[in-house]
Amino acid sequence: MKTLNRIKVLLVKELLQLVRDKVLVIATIYLFTVDIFLAASGVNLTLNRVSFKTLDFDKTSVSRDLIDRFRPPYFEYRGEVPRRVQAEELLEQGKILAYLEIPDGFEQSLKTNQKTQVLLLVDTSNAIMGYLIAGYSAGIVAGFSQEKSLETLGLMPEMIERLPLVEGASRVLFNPNQEETWFNALSELLTVITLLTMLLPAAALVREKERGTIEQLLVSPARPLEILLAKIFAMTLVILLGVLVATSFIIKGTFHIPMRGSLPVFLMITCFYVFTSSGYGLLIGGIANNLAQVGLLTIIAIAPIVFLSGTWTPPEAMPFWLSSMMSFSPLFYFIQMAYGLFFKGVGWDFLLPKIAKMLALGFLVLWGSAFAFKRRFF
């Protein structure tokens, strides 16, 4: 009971200190509202009016038909250039993103069953955009080529329907409309939680050093673990409140992302995750001497945690030695559980093994933080 009373008193102190820090309060509110909204609505992974120019040496109805297929909303035709070198200059200047060149004799080659080629130059300084442009363009040219081949063979549309064909049918699960905002909003929420669970405890501990109140804590009856637990519990309450606001007003209220699982279960898992990640923040707070150092160390610590979480790069796309390190990222387990609860409605058979691994990692980090804190101040 004495331990619980001491933790309760320290918890109230931590909450009062946080409320009085207006900068951290405003930053926390911004991250759980505006930041998530901007991340979800401002990122679009589909093509939208990609500017392109052409050079048509053939000047026939067939070449114009191919050019006409590069149409809005994916492409926007910006006219023709007299020479290829001018198109290359426009690509270098960023004024266009693609250039299509059709050779002379294009129509005649198709009519005489000869292979012909068209040239596509793409600006891939933005690798994702360049990949999308190349993929969309390849699909357009492939469809055009198939139609012209069938016309050359004299096959009418009604005759094509009687030919033996293999059609692939796909069924999209968990996000049938492939809404990018669902992924972007939820991934940003999890990243914000990770950032705050490391930043807030570290900032709280460093404030004690800067204001000289750490000495008062050292001579108090509170033990090192009690001091650290009070900071973790305070940050957990703040983050849970932010998660409720973000989930109610942004995730579900604005973007209408479904919650197929249980919200209380998600909040409980969030508590476990805050406990796990707070150890990193307390470790940073024990090392840093001021808030500037806290910011720098937080950036250094959060980068590998996010990169090894699978948020943007799946484990299958990583080298083996790098993907094997993902088990040391608490966000790796949290993402799997959060996506499973929101999109799939997974049960405890899926959650329990990941909760156990995440908590084991959290206990290890918290023990290291308490040991470092005690060794430095006691």
Side-chain angles (χ1 to χ4, degrees):
M1 291 302 297
K2 291 182 180 180
T3 298
L4 293 177
N5 288 332
R6 286 194 293 265
I7 293 177
K8 178 181 177 182
V9 173
L10 291 171
L11 174 62
V12 174
K13 177 190 77 70
E14 294 295 336
L15 292 175
L16 289 176
Q17 283 185 335
L18 179 62
V19 171
R20 291 167 183 169
D21 194 331
K22 295 181 180 179
V23 175
L24 278 180
V25 171
I26 294 174
T28 303
I29 295 174
Y30 169 83
L31 289 173
F32 277 117
T33 54
V34 179
D35 179 72
I36 297 175
F37 176 81
L38 293 177
S41 59
V43 178
N44 191 353
L45 299 179
T46 59
L47 296 186
N48 184 25
R49 293 190 171 274
V50 172
S51 57
F52 81 102
K53 285 182 175 289
T54 63
L55 178 53
D56 185 5
F57 288 104
D58 197 44
K59 305 291 185 181
T60 60
S61 59
V62 176
S63 62
R64 288 192 295 270
D65 183 19
L66 176 59
I67 296 173
D68 186 60
R69 301 195 180 206
F70 290 79
R71 62 183 65 180
Y74 305 121
F75 294 91
E76 183 176 2
Y77 181 56
R78 295 289 182 86
E80 190 169 340
V81 293
R83 293 182 301 168
R84 184 192 302 176
V85 64
Q86 293 185 355
E88 293 176 348
E89 292 176 355
L90 293 174
L91 285 169
E92 292 176 357
Q93 298 169 3
K95 295 182 178 180
I96 60 173
L97 295 177
Y99 160 74
L100 178 66
E101 180 178 307
I102 301 177
D104 187 20
F106 179 69
E107 180 182 32
Q108 186 63 27
S109 298
L110 294 178
K111 288 182 178 179
T112 56
N113 298 330
Q114 297 180 4
K115 181 184 293 186
T116 184
Q117 295 180 338
V118 296
L119 173 67
L120 179 70
L121 300 181
V122 179
D123 179 4
T124 57
S125 54
N126 185 332
I128 297 178
M129 181 63 68
Y131 175 78
L132 291 173
I133 295 173
Y136 277 58
S137 302
I140 293 173
V141 174
F144 175 83
S145 175
Q146 183 179 18
E147 288 185 14
K148 296 305 175 183
S149 298
L150 294 176
E151 290 179 5
T152 303
L153 296 174
L155 297 177
M156 303 301 293
E158 57 273 10
M159 298 173 60
I160 296 174
E161 294 178 358
R162 295 196 296 267
L163 293 176
L165 297 174
V166 178
E167 294 184 354
S170 60
R171 181 182 178 186
V172 181
L173 301 177
F174 313 126
N175 187 357
N177 294 329
Q178 302 183 48
E179 296 285 347
E180 296 171 0
T181 55
W182 289 16
F183 170 79
N184 293 334
L186 190 55
S187 63
E188 186 66 16
L189 173 63
L190 304 183
T191 304
V192 165
I193 295 173
T194 304
L195 174 63
L196 291 178
T197 53
M198 298 176 63
L199 181 61
L200 294 182
L205 189 56
V206 168
R207 279 199 306 266
E208 305 282 4
K209 300 178 186 179
E210 293 181 334
R211 296 172 181 174
T213 55
I214 188 68
E215 286 78 8
Q216 298 177 10
L217 290 177
L218 296 180
V219 298
S220 68
R223 301 171 183 172
L225 186 59
E226 295 170 353
I227 297 173
L228 298 182
L229 287 177
K231 296 183 181 298
I232 291 176
F233 292 157
M235 299 311 126
T236 301
L237 293 176
V238 172
I239 290 173
L240 281 181
L241 179 60
V243 170
L244 282 174
V245 171
T247 304
S248 302
F249 296 101
I250 307 298
I251 302 294
K252 299 179 70 174
T254 303
F255 297 109
H256 309 290
I257 300 176
M259 181 70 175
R260 294 190 170 91
S262 172
L263 181 59
V265 174
F266 175 67
L267 294 177
M268 182 186 67
I269 292 175
T270 302
C271 291
F272 294 153
Y273 179 69
V274 171
F275 168 79
T276 302
S277 297
S278 294
Y280 293 96
L282 294 172
L283 186 60
I284 292 173
I287 298 173
N289 295 316
N290 51 59
L291 287 177
Q293 293 182 2
V294 166
L296 292 175
L297 290 175
T298 300
I299 294 174
I300 294 173
I302 198 174
I305 290 177
V306 174
F307 292 152
L308 295 175
S309 66
T311 304
W312 302 108
T313 304
E316 295 79 10
M318 296 182 179
F320 174 77
W321 66 270
L322 190 60
S323 61
S324 60
M325 297 174 61
M326 298 181 74
S327 58
F328 296 100
S329 172
L331 186 57
F332 172 66
Y333 305 107
F334 190 39
I335 281 179
Q336 293 181 348
M337 292 186 287
Y339 287 168
L341 284 172
F342 269 89
F343 300 144
K344 303 178 182 180
V346 295
W348 289 107
D349 56 337
F350 177 85
L351 297 174
L352 286 178
K354 292 176 174 52
I355 291 175
K357 294 178 181 179
M358 188 174 67
L359 287 179
L361 183 62
F363 277 112
L364 181 63
V365 176
L366 183 61
W367 177 84
S369 302
F371 178 78
F373 180 78
K374 183 177 180 180
R375 186 174 182 178
R376 179 167 184 178
F377 296 105
F378 285 84

